[in-house]
Amino acid sequence: KNQVEQSPQSLIILEGKNCTLQCNYTVSPFSNLRWYKQDTGRGPVSLTIMTFSENTKSNGRYTATLDADTKQSSLHITASQLSDSASYICVVSAGGSYIPTFGRGTSLIVHP
Amino acid sequence: NAGVTQTPKFQVLKTGQSMTLQCAQDMNHEYMSWYRQDPGMGLRLIHYSVGAGITDQGEVPNGYNVSRSTTEDFPLRLLSAAPSQTSVYFCASSYDSSGLGEQYFGPGTRLTVT
């Protein structure tokens, strides 16, 4: 069964600090991996999309990495801001399937 | 562009009632989909469409119907609401008809079934 596990479940950091969120998956055959940011009460917003051949992709202060061999991805947030407080969701799609597998998300709280 | 719009934002139904959640997009995207989001769980795909006139079941389709008569609209129908359908519903669209590309989500509809 395809699965996506995210850790930690929740994280509290101080404004200005960096943090890294983890995503492990067992989806096969792998097609792509996406990271979304979901603010409370809103729909998810795409941060990055990575295919098998991509190791790193950045979007401003957000940098995603992918290790297709170990089936792990991370999302690194640099110099966190209060507006980074949100849930971060990892989504993995399998080739030939229209049904993506979503992780449960990591809830990030940034304190001033 | 308004992007993906959903109506209503909130809805309360009694068990057994029916209703339609509306979803529209103005980006000319071929792929549209419906998800539900429950506390402590990842989003789950209900139904999806790869183009006008084409729909298919996702992970949790029971109790829901969809149709896609135009590229812009993708309504979700609850035929006989049940308390288990209390959830937040998101509509999404993508320029990539395979569903593998970036998806744009609507603001969500919060549904409570009593």
Side-chain angles (χ1 to χ4, degrees):
Chain A
K1 180 181 177 183
N2 291 335
Q3 288 188 312
V4 173
E5 300 288 340
Q6 292 187 242
S7 62
Q9 188 173 354
S10 61
L11 183 62
I12 300 174
I13 62 174
L14 291 176
E15 186 178 14
K17 298 296 186 183
N18 303 336
C19 68
T20 300
L21 313 181
Q22 300 290 343
C23 173
N24 295 342
Y25 61 92
T26 58
V27 176
S28 182
F30 176 84
S31 178
N32 69 32
L33 184 147
R34 292 168 271 180
W35 282 95
Y36 287 90
K37 177 187 179 190
Q38 184 176 22
D39 293 318
T40 301
R42 293 181 175 269
V45 175
S46 178
L47 294 175
T48 63
I49 301 175
M50 288 189 292
T51 59
F52 184 88
S53 59
E54 296 174 297
N55 300 118
T56 303
K57 185 166 279 191
S58 293
N59 179 357
R61 295 180 296 102
Y62 300 101
T63 299
T65 65
L66 174 64
D67 186 334
D69 291 332
T70 62
K71 299 187 177 182
Q72 296 179 325
S73 176
S74 64
L75 181 69
H76 186 74
I77 304 174
T78 304
S80 61
Q81 300 176 357
L82 298 179
S83 59
D84 292 331
S85 295
S87 178
Y88 292 84
I89 302 170
C90 177
V91 187
V92 184
S93 293
S97 173
Y98 287 98
I99 304 178
T101 302
F102 283 75
R104 297 182 181 184
T106 291
S107 176
L108 174 65
I109 298 175
V110 180
H111 279 312
Chain B
N1 285 351
V4 179
T5 58
Q6 292 183 237
T7 56
K9 289 188 185 298
F10 301 93
Q11 183 70 50
V12 179
L13 290 179
K14 295 186 186 303
T15 297
Q17 287 184 319
S18 63
M19 79 159 295
T20 299
L21 307 185
Q22 301 292 343
C23 173
Q25 52 92 8
D26 61 358
M27 297 174 282
N28 203 32
H29 286 172
E30 291 295 327
Y31 181 89
M32 295 186 73
S33 54
W34 276 101
Y35 294 89
R36 59 178 290 172
Q37 186 173 39
D38 301 297
M41 301 186 71
L43 278 84
R44 291 180 292 171
L45 183 65
I46 304 172
H47 285 286
Y48 65 94
S49 168
V50 299
I54 307 170
T55 63
D56 208 343
Q57 297 181 348
E59 191 180 352
V60 289
N62 291 343
Y64 307 95
N65 276 358
V66 292
S67 60
R68 184 96 180 272
S69 57
T70 67
T71 299
E72 295 77 22
D73 300 298
F74 191 42
L76 177 72
R77 297 185 188 84
L78 282 70
L79 302 176
S80 179
S84 60
Q85 293 178 305
T86 293
S87 187
V88 181
Y89 291 86
F90 290 100
C91 178
S93 73
S94 174
Y95 59 86
D96 185 341
S97 61
S98 72
L100 301 178
E102 180 176 352
Q103 292 201 52
Y104 296 82
F105 284 81
T109 294
R110 185 174 295 273
L111 175 68
T112 302
V113 183
T114 62

